[in-house]
Amino acid sequence: MGIEERKERERERRRQQIMVAAKRVFSEKGFSKTTMEDISREAELSTGTLYLYFKNKEELFASLSFRILQYLLIRLEHVTKETDKGPVEKIAALKDAMYDVYEFDPLIIINMFHLQSSETLMNLSPQILSDMKEMSKKAMREMAKIFQEGIAEGIFIEKHPHALTDIVWSMFSGLVLWEESKRIINPNKDFLKPTLDIAFDILIRGIKRSEEPS
Amino acid sequence: MGIEERKERERERRRQQIMVAAKRVFSEKGFSKTTMEDISREAELSTGTLYLYFKNKEELFASLSFRILQYLLIRLEHVTKETDKGPVEKIAALKDAMYDVYEFDPLIIINMFHLQSSETLMNLSPQILSDMKEMSKKAMREMAKIFQEGIAEGIFIEKHPHALTDIVWSMFSGLVLWEESKRIINPNKDFLKPTLDIAFDILIRGIKRSEEPS
DNA sequence: TATATTTATTGATTTATAGTCATTTAATAT
DNA sequence: ATATTAAATGACTATAAATCAATAAATATA
């Protein structure tokens, strides 16, 4: 029964081949200006074939986002595992992880945030949607750990860790999108890094319990 | 020369008529699922006419966003003018203003944030683009005033007011988008208000100078 | 090895919709 | 009453997503 397995491998290969081509084109042209024909040309396949592996354009794009989220999750798990770091340092590491992921492919990240909408998500197949849901749940849970730890240690004030996670994530995605749209007016200026630093400074100050004499 | 003036008024009327129809359809179906034909049917006009008043679908949508930003600006100006309030209270009022604007038409706001991307903005005519730019600059300047005041009074820590403004705006838009995309998975749960409250609590704590004995 | 069956791929075709433009209709000026 | 200008129309064009009947390739069967 080796044939079935090889076929499965080949199928996965082709899927990856399409994703590699798609990533190239999307990164260069952005989501809406990329056509399925562009991708099929880049992948040296016909348009029809793309639809054998991905339900539609959105789903193909979502698969790329999924890979990036996978990578982010690994980075986050690494951060929470570092036992030598305290919660405050872990939040700084969290920021770095997020920023690194952004830098890895800004355009895919930007578009990912744009497509993170009901209009788009509802076009995905239940399988992919549930995979994405699972992945982001895991990432959020990982981040929440840091806040839980800080609260447990009495370093952070008592707020729902999940709410804090939502805030961090929103702040990050919001800043990425806002700085990107500011760049249209001022193409040379990129304040993402410094603004993100300030945002995290404030966040840490804001959740830290005011030191009291012991 | 009264005819020219009347014509101008009529032209503006028709423009508004289209925008009213567009708002109805966009609010109901979202940006991408709305067709220009839908809007023209709702406005009881032909498709061609829409293009006499708006360069394209994005520009028609942007005009709706523009109106909302205008309304937000008025609210913000009101907040900064309230001399009886301190900077901290003004930030709370800022949050309320933002949330009210969101509640006025959530779908338009959500889509506005989604379309706040280079891909879309570059499709707008220079006129509209520069109007939008001007409007958001004004809104940002208004918000920055609050931070400047707080810093001048020694209540807030010394951070660039414009960076703080960017952070507040990003946090708001990020939360709106994130809570919306969470609603696809959990349609009945809406945590925007409480999470926004927590976010602003943390922000205020984070920018407040720690009280020192005088 | 030759033939049948299954699976993968193709690209021409269908479908949908944004945007255009020649024509018509209405308003105003002469 | 007629000419000119402006506004509106909707059939048409262009583009791109998605489909599907036809074809090619791979595998199983005799």
Side-chain angles (χ1 to χ4, degrees), chain A residues 3 6-7 34-36 51 56-57:
Chain A
I3 285 169
R6 175 174 56 75
K7 286 227 169 165
T34 295
T35 71
M36 290 302 265
Y51 287 91
N56 53 37
K57 191 179 163 184

Side-chain angles (χ1 to χ4, degrees), chain A residues 82-90 145-158 209:
Chain A
E82 290 195 284
T83 45
D84 56 321
K85 281 183 178 161
V88 171
E89 286 163 308
K90 280 185 186 172
K145 275 184 190 172
I146 302 174
F147 294 112
Q148 271 156 348
E149 199 184 308
I151 294 165
E153 289 182 20
I155 296 167
F156 295 160
I157 57 172
E158 276 169 30
R209 230 180 235 289

Side-chain angles (χ1 to χ4, degrees), chain B residues 13-196:
Chain B
R13 264 264 180 94
R14 184 124 296 180
R15 216 184 117 90
Q16 292 302 323
Q17 172 194 358
I18 293 168
M19 283 170 72
V20 167
K23 200 198 131 171
R24 270 204 213 108
V25 188
F26 280 134
S27 290
E28 195 199 319
K29 308 178 111 187
F31 182 78
S32 58
K33 274 177 198 152
T34 296
T35 72
M36 290 302 265
E37 218 201 306
D38 289 338
I39 297 167
S40 68
R41 204 180 312 113
E42 180 73 29
E44 295 174 297
L45 290 166
S46 68
T47 30
T49 306
L50 302 189
Y51 287 92
L52 295 173
Y53 292 84
F54 299 92
K55 190 187 154 210
N56 53 37
K57 190 179 163 185
E58 268 123 357
E59 188 151 321
L60 174 49
F61 189 89
S63 305
L64 294 177
S65 306
F66 185 75
R67 275 209 310 202
I68 289 177
L69 285 180
Q70 269 181 313
Y71 173 58
L72 177 67
L73 179 61
I74 291 164
R75 290 288 309 257
L76 293 178
E77 281 168 347
H78 184 77
V79 170
T80 52
K81 266 181 204 140
E82 290 194 284
T83 44
D84 56 321
K85 279 184 179 162
V88 171
E89 283 162 311
K90 281 185 184 170
I91 289 176
L94 173 77
K95 178 190 74 183
D96 293 337
M98 282 173 156
Y99 189 73
D100 285 353
V101 170
Y102 164 79
E103 270 200 319
F104 178 69
D105 198 327
L107 241 137
I108 296 283
I109 296 281
I110 287 166
N111 278 294
M112 182 178 92
F113 288 146
H114 278 129
L115 297 181
Q116 196 183 64
S117 76
S118 52
E119 273 188 59
T120 306
L121 292 174
M122 287 187 312
N123 282 332
L124 303 180
S125 61
Q127 182 57 61
I128 296 278
L129 187 60
S130 107
D131 287 354
M132 293 283 281
K133 183 180 150 177
E134 194 53 41
M135 183 59 60
S136 58
K137 244 191 191 162
K138 274 183 188 164
M140 293 294 148
R141 211 177 297 140
E142 216 54 40
M143 287 194 237
K145 276 185 190 171
I146 301 173
F147 294 111
Q148 272 157 349
E149 199 184 308
I151 295 166
E153 290 182 19
I155 295 167
F156 294 161
I157 57 171
E158 276 168 31
K159 299 276 183 190
H160 293 298
H162 291 290
L164 296 177
T165 305
D166 285 341
I167 290 164
V168 168
W169 183 250
S170 301
M171 208 169 69
F172 175 64
S173 66
L175 272 173
V176 166
L177 292 178
W178 178 235
E179 290 296 329
E180 190 243 357
S181 80
K182 283 204 299 177
R183 258 200 304 283
I184 298 144
I185 292 152
N186 252 324
N188 39 347
K189 286 184 184 166
D190 182 356
F191 286 130
L192 181 58
K193 192 69 180 46
T195 312
L196 204 60

